[in-house]
């Protein structure tokens, strides 16, 4: 049939330059040749979202198919997520859904209760005491290539016209550029970048957090979220804490509990828009902080020793 | 066809060049190096120094088994940044080669020889089917038979070069910029100067404290090479001296401004 077809034969989705012949030094191992060894296009990495039944009902019920939310707080990395958990989230938050990055949709958690540290899911919570506030915990590293998709996916279920957004993240103190030598910097430092919509509405007036000074750049998911908010004219603020290397949201340290001193770096942000409308608690409930710090690393703790 | 799709066709088998001449697996291996903690190497007038950021060992882990520096022969030491397991394999092969060279040629390896050997293994793995490159960069220090110290650096592509001072791993750019500003042959003419420069460089990106840094010195006494890893007390004392020198420099600057 293919030979009779007027159309040219479709080329296979792998490189024919790969030579499957044996190498004398090769001491055996997985066969890399053949179609079975190659990634299929359907296995391409992507972001996917799964919502709880209640959230799906809420979407279906509304005209605009959006969740009821006026404030979205996003924590990027374990330190920021720990801060939001301790000061904002409370004990009775409802899980609305999760976003998973880097794996196909088939890899999504089967149950929204799988909140173990070893999983790669970013959870979306709603405060029961203040249902207009949603909190997204992006504790798992989101690959740079997936950040834009993550941001679009997250905002796709919200009404951006009536939304205020705050994203908290960390960057290494050694990446902070200033006139002072790097060795004399005393961290942690907290800086902020706001979208023009937030500045234009006067929502940033009197804020205690210093603007991020050039040539420093916001990177990763916080930058992508702020960019998307800037394009869509959403009032948004990104708070970035420059902390010691070990407290950043790099992969080897992902499974370790966040350092309380690094979490405390975000405290000035509690007095700023839009966090102050969420009625955050400071100092945070000590039991909640202890539970946070005592969470055991997941089974994937060995990834901490992959790099030296 | 999007850029992402093009990359996915050319980054699975490292034997394949992309249309714009990239070997993506090699470049990805260089990214793996940046996930490793920082290592600094300095070639002094009469010694060679390696300083590394010490990784915090887990509570129940024996920290003697968490090492970023290894002795390849009596006169050659290596520090690395990148994949731990890959480093173990390369270290073993380099050690066997050093011993084999001694027995065959009745001379210890030169630094250039062992750097070329390590780089050759790495290059081979960038040009073979079904393998991936080694995800690490190494700093090799030591003395040749003629008593001269040397520092070589290898990277995942299999390239190797001799350096006066270099850094690999996370924040290597910051450290290299510092070394370019501060390195002079006079400042590293003696052992103390070389050690202090290595410490200053690593303290640009690592928190001060003997528990965060390991430092090794290769020196040659009466023609016999000697490798020493400085004890924590000596490191603390040197860091205190460096701190005092920094404060004195800052005081001078302030006085000049006034």
């Amino acid at each position: 049939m293919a030979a009779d077809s007027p159309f040219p034969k479709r080329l296979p989705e792998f490189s024919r330059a790969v030579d499957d012949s044996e190498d004398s030094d090769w001491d055996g191992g997985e066969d890399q040749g053949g179609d079975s060894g190659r990634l299929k296009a359907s296995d391409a990495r992507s972001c996917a979202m799964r919502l709880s039944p209640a959230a799906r009902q809420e979407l279906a019920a509304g005209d605009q198919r959006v969740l009821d939310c006026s404030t979205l707080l996003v924590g990027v990395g374990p330190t920021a997520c720990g801060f939001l958990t301790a000061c904002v989230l409370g004990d009775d938050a409802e899980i609305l859904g999760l976003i998973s990055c880097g794996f196909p949709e088939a890899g999504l958690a089967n149950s929204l209760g799988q909140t173990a540290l070893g999983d790669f899911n970013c959870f979306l919570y709603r405060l029961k005491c203040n249902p207009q506030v949603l909190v997204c915990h992006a504790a798992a590293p989101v690959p740079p290539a997936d950040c834009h998709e993550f941001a679009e996916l997250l905002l796709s279920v919200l009404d951006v016209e009536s939304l205020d957004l705050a994203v908290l993240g960390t960057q290494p103190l050694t990446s902070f550029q200033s006139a002072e030598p790097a060795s004399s910097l005393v961290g942690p430092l907290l800086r902020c970048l706001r979208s023009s919509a937030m500045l234009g509405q006067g929502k940033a007036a009197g804020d205690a957090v210093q603007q991020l000074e050039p040539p420093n750049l916001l990177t990763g998911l916080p930058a992508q979220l702020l960019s998307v908010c800037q394009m869509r004219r959403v009032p948004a603020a990104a708070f970035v804490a420059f902390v010691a290397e070990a407290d950043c949201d790099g992969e080897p340290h992902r499974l370790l509990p966040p350092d309380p001193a690094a979490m405390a770096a975000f405290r000035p942000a509690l007095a700023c828009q839009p966090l102050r409308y969420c009625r955050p608690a400071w100092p945070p409930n000590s039991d909640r902080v202890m539970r946070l710090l005592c969470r055991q690393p997941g089974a994937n703790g060995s990834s901490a020793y992959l790099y030296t | 066809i999007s850029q992402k799709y093009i990359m996915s066709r050319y980054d699975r088998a490292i034997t394949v060049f992309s249309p714009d001449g990239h070997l993506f697996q090699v470049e990805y291996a260089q990214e793996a190096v940046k996930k490793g903690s920082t290592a600094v190497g300095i070639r002094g007038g009469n010694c060679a120094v390696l300083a590394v950021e010490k990784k915090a060992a887990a509570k129940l882990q024996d920290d003697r088994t968490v090492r970023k520096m290894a002795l390849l022969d009596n006169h050659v030491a290596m520090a690395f940044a990148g994949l731990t397991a890959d480093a173990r394999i390369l270290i073993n092969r380099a050690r066997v080669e050093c011993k084999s060279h001694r027995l065959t040629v009745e001379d210890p390896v030169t630094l250039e020889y062992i750097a070329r050997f390590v780089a050759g293994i790495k290059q081979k793995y960038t040009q073979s089917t079904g393998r991936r490159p080694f995800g690490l960069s190494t700093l090799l220090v030591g003395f040749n038979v003629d008593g001269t110290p040397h520092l070589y650096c290898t990277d995942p592509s299999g390239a190797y070069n001799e350096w006066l001072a270099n850094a690999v791993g996370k924040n290597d750019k910051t450290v290299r910029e510092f070394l370019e500003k501060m390195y002079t042959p006079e400042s590293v003419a003696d052992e103390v100067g070389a050690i202090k420069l290595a410490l200053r460089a690593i303290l640009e990106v690592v928190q001060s404290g003997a528990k965060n840094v390991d430092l090794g010195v290769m020196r040659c006494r009466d023609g016999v090479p000697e490798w020493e890893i400085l004890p924590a007390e000596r490191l603390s004392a040197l860091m205190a001296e460096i701190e005092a020198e920094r404060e004195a420099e800052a005081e001078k600057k302030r006085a000049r401004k006034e």
Side-chain angles (χ1 to χ4, degrees), chain A residues 12-13 15 17-21 23 25-26 32 38-39 45 146 174 182-183 244-245 251 304-308, chain B residues 4 12-13 16 32 35-37 55 58 61 68 80-84 124 129-131 170-171 203-205 246:
Chain A
E13 289 175 355
S15 169
V18 174
D19 182 3
D20 291 336
S21 62
D23 192 308
D25 286 349
W26 183 238
Q32 297 291 328
R38 296 181 174 88
L39 280 177
R45 294 156 59 94
D146 294 337
T174 49
S183 49
E245 203 75 38
E251 274 192 54
Y305 313 119
L306 197 57
Y307 302 98
T308 299
Chain B
K4 191 172 172 180
R12 292 175 204 164
V16 183
K35 288 182 173 283
S37 51
K55 206 167 158 160
Q61 193 179 34
K68 221 168 133 64
F80 62 90
L83 283 165
T84 318
K124 210 160 128 188
T129 320
R131 303 189 198 194
K170 223 180 288 188
N171 303 311
L203 289 175
E204 283 291 299
V205 296
R246 267 198 200 137

Side-chain angles (χ1 to χ4, degrees), chain A residues 191-233:
Chain A
R191 296 290 187 268
C192 178
L193 266 183
R194 296 175 180 88
S195 67
S196 48
M198 179 158 277
L199 292 168
Q201 290 176 12
K203 290 184 176 180
D207 275 351
V209 181
Q210 195 177 331
Q211 187 88 338
L212 182 67
E213 53 269 57
N216 294 293
L217 296 175
L218 195 60
T219 58
L221 184 59
Q224 199 58 248
L225 276 165
L226 199 62
S227 301
V228 171
C229 289
Q230 176 68 15
M231 282 190 311
R232 296 201 188 179
R233 298 193 176 88

